[in-house]
PDB file of all heavy atoms in Angstrom:
ATOM      1  N   ASP A 158      78.917 100.054 100.691  1.00 98.00           N
ATOM      2  CA  ASP A 158      77.733  99.441 101.298  1.00 98.00           C
ATOM      3  C   ASP A 158      77.970  99.374 102.821  1.00 98.00           C
ATOM      4  O   ASP A 158      78.974  98.805 103.252  1.00 98.00           O
ATOM      5  CB  ASP A 158      77.594  98.031 100.705  1.00 98.00           C
ATOM      6  CG  ASP A 158      76.453  97.246 101.322  1.00 98.00           C
ATOM      7  OD1 ASP A 158      75.853  97.718 102.305  1.00 98.00           O
ATOM      8  OD2 ASP A 158      76.182  96.137 100.808  1.00 98.00           O
ATOM      9  N   PRO A 159      77.061  99.937 103.626  1.00 98.00           N
ATOM     10  CA  PRO A 159      77.276  99.942 105.089  1.00 98.00           C
ATOM     11  C   PRO A 159      77.472  98.537 105.674  1.00 98.00           C
ATOM     12  O   PRO A 159      78.170  98.364 106.672  1.00 98.00           O
ATOM     13  CB  PRO A 159      75.986 100.561 105.640  1.00 98.00           C
ATOM     14  CG  PRO A 159      75.398 101.322 104.501  1.00 98.00           C
ATOM     15  CD  PRO A 159      75.844 100.652 103.238  1.00 98.00           C
ATOM     16  N   GLU A 160      76.899  97.523 105.017  1.00 97.00           N
ATOM     17  CA  GLU A 160      77.057  96.138 105.460  1.00 97.00           C
ATOM     18  C   GLU A 160      78.539  95.714 105.437  1.00 97.00           C
ATOM     19  O   GLU A 160      78.995  94.925 106.266  1.00 97.00           O
ATOM     20  CB  GLU A 160      76.217  95.254 104.509  1.00 97.00           C
ATOM     21  CG  GLU A 160      76.468  93.760 104.565  1.00 97.00           C
ATOM     22  CD  GLU A 160      75.705  93.068 105.682  1.00 97.00           C
ATOM     23  OE1 GLU A 160      74.798  93.707 106.243  1.00 97.00           O
ATOM     24  OE2 GLU A 160      76.045  91.903 105.974  1.00 97.00           O
ATOM     25  N   VAL A 161      79.285  96.272 104.480  1.00 98.00           N
ATOM     26  CA  VAL A 161      80.707  95.939 104.347  1.00 98.00           C
ATOM     27  C   VAL A 161      81.479  96.458 105.573  1.00 98.00           C
ATOM     28  O   VAL A 161      82.357  95.781 106.102  1.00 98.00           O
ATOM     29  CB  VAL A 161      81.264  96.524 103.022  1.00 98.00           C
ATOM     30  CG1 VAL A 161      82.780  96.438 102.978  1.00 98.00           C
ATOM     31  CG2 VAL A 161      80.653  95.792 101.848  1.00 98.00           C
ATOM     32  N   VAL A 162      81.103  97.649 106.025  1.00 98.00           N
ATOM     33  CA  VAL A 162      81.747  98.213 107.223  1.00 98.00           C
ATOM     34  C   VAL A 162      81.466  97.303 108.424  1.00 98.00           C
ATOM     35  O   VAL A 162      82.362  97.005 109.223  1.00 98.00           O
ATOM     36  CB  VAL A 162      81.240  99.655 107.485  1.00 98.00           C
ATOM     37  CG1 VAL A 162      81.737 100.175 108.821  1.00 98.00           C
ATOM     38  CG2 VAL A 162      81.670 100.580 106.348  1.00 98.00           C
ATOM     39  N   LEU A 163      80.234  96.809 108.516  1.00 97.00           N
ATOM     40  CA  LEU A 163      79.879  95.926 109.642  1.00 97.00           C
ATOM     41  C   LEU A 163      80.648  94.608 109.587  1.00 97.00           C
ATOM     42  O   LEU A 163      81.097  94.095 110.611  1.00 97.00           O
ATOM     43  CB  LEU A 163      78.367  95.633 109.634  1.00 97.00           C
ATOM     44  CG  LEU A 163      77.463  96.837 109.905  1.00 97.00           C
ATOM     45  CD1 LEU A 163      75.995  96.435 109.845  1.00 97.00           C
ATOM     46  CD2 LEU A 163      77.783  97.433 111.286  1.00 97.00           C
ATOM     47  N   ARG A 164      80.811  94.076 108.372  1.00 97.00           N
ATOM     48  CA  ARG A 164      81.567  92.810 108.244  1.00 97.00           C
ATOM     49  C   ARG A 164      83.029  93.022 108.632  1.00 97.00           C
ATOM     50  O   ARG A 164      83.634  92.176 109.298  1.00 97.00           O
ATOM     51  CB  ARG A 164      81.488  92.279 106.805  1.00 97.00           C
ATOM     52  CG  ARG A 164      80.126  91.663 106.489  1.00 97.00           C
ATOM     53  CD  ARG A 164      80.063  91.215 105.041  1.00 97.00           C
ATOM     54  NE  ARG A 164      81.014  90.170 104.749  1.00 97.00           N
ATOM     55  CZ  ARG A 164      81.513  89.923 103.528  1.00 97.00           C
ATOM     56  NH1 ARG A 164      81.155  90.666 102.512  1.00 97.00           N
ATOM     57  NH2 ARG A 164      82.365  88.942 103.349  1.00 97.00           N
ATOM     58  N   ALA A 165      83.587  94.151 108.226  1.00 98.00           N
ATOM     59  CA  ALA A 165      84.986  94.440 108.585  1.00 98.00           C
ATOM     60  C   ALA A 165      85.099  94.629 110.095  1.00 98.00           C
ATOM     61  O   ALA A 165      86.023  94.117 110.731  1.00 98.00           O
ATOM     62  CB  ALA A 165      85.460  95.690 107.856  1.00 98.00           C
ATOM     63  N   GLN A 166      84.136  95.306 110.663  1.00 98.00           N
ATOM     64  CA  GLN A 166      84.136  95.527 112.121  1.00 98.00           C
ATOM     65  C   GLN A 166      84.165  94.182 112.848  1.00 98.00           C
ATOM     66  O   GLN A 166      84.932  93.982 113.797  1.00 98.00           O
ATOM     67  CB  GLN A 166      82.883  96.320 112.499  1.00 98.00           C
ATOM     68  CG  GLN A 166      82.766  96.604 113.977  1.00 98.00           C
ATOM     69  CD  GLN A 166      81.492  97.397 114.308  1.00 98.00           C
ATOM     70  OE1 GLN A 166      80.562  97.481 113.505  1.00 98.00           O
ATOM     71  NE2 GLN A 166      81.454  97.975 115.483  1.00 98.00           N
ATOM     72  N   ALA A 167      83.337  93.236 112.379  1.00 97.00           N
ATOM     73  CA  ALA A 167      83.270  91.911 113.025  1.00 97.00           C
ATOM     74  C   ALA A 167      84.619  91.193 112.904  1.00 97.00           C
ATOM     75  O   ALA A 167      85.092  90.562 113.855  1.00 97.00           O
ATOM     76  CB  ALA A 167      82.155  91.079 112.399  1.00 97.00           C
ATOM     77  N   LEU A 168      85.256  91.326 111.747  1.00 98.00           N
ATOM     78  CA  LEU A 168      86.568  90.686 111.574  1.00 98.00           C
ATOM     79  C   LEU A 168      87.586  91.280 112.556  1.00 98.00           C
ATOM     80  O   LEU A 168      88.325  90.556 113.220  1.00 98.00           O
ATOM     81  CB  LEU A 168      87.065  90.885 110.133  1.00 98.00           C
ATOM     82  CG  LEU A 168      88.522  90.467 109.896  1.00 98.00           C
ATOM     83  CD1 LEU A 168      88.701  88.950 110.033  1.00 98.00           C
ATOM     84  CD2 LEU A 168      89.021  90.925 108.525  1.00 98.00           C
ATOM     85  N   PHE A 169      87.608  92.603 112.655  1.00 98.00           N
ATOM     86  CA  PHE A 169      88.607  93.228 113.529  1.00 98.00           C
ATOM     87  C   PHE A 169      88.345  92.882 114.997  1.00 98.00           C
ATOM     88  O   PHE A 169      89.287  92.700 115.768  1.00 98.00           O
ATOM     89  CB  PHE A 169      88.649  94.741 113.301  1.00 98.00           C
ATOM     90  CG  PHE A 169      89.122  95.096 111.913  1.00 98.00           C
ATOM     91  CD1 PHE A 169      88.455  96.032 111.131  1.00 98.00           C
ATOM     92  CD2 PHE A 169      90.235  94.472 111.373  1.00 98.00           C
ATOM     93  CE1 PHE A 169      88.890  96.334 109.848  1.00 98.00           C
ATOM     94  CE2 PHE A 169      90.686  94.768 110.085  1.00 98.00           C
ATOM     95  CZ  PHE A 169      90.003  95.702 109.333  1.00 98.00           C
ATOM     96  N   GLU A 170      87.076  92.780 115.361  1.00 97.00           N
ATOM     97  CA  GLU A 170      86.786  92.373 116.743  1.00 97.00           C
ATOM     98  C   GLU A 170      87.267  90.938 116.979  1.00 97.00           C
ATOM     99  O   GLU A 170      87.764  90.608 118.048  1.00 97.00           O
ATOM    100  CB  GLU A 170      85.287  92.512 117.032  1.00 97.00           C
ATOM    101  CG  GLU A 170      84.924  93.975 117.283  1.00 97.00           C
ATOM    102  CD  GLU A 170      83.424  94.247 117.276  1.00 97.00           C
ATOM    103  OE1 GLU A 170      82.652  93.319 116.986  1.00 97.00           O
ATOM    104  OE2 GLU A 170      83.060  95.412 117.550  1.00 97.00           O
ATOM    105  N   ALA A 171      87.140  90.100 115.937  1.00 97.00           N
ATOM    106  CA  ALA A 171      87.571  88.700 116.072  1.00 97.00           C
ATOM    107  C   ALA A 171      89.082  88.583 116.253  1.00 97.00           C
ATOM    108  O   ALA A 171      89.572  87.576 116.746  1.00 97.00           O
ATOM    109  CB  ALA A 171      87.124  87.894 114.853  1.00 97.00           C
TER     110      ALA A 171
END
Side-chain angles (χ1 to χ4, degrees):
D158 176 352
E160 166 83 13
V161 169
V162 172
L163 294 179
R164 285 177 63 205
Q166 180 180 16
L168 170 67
F169 295 133
E170 282 167 355

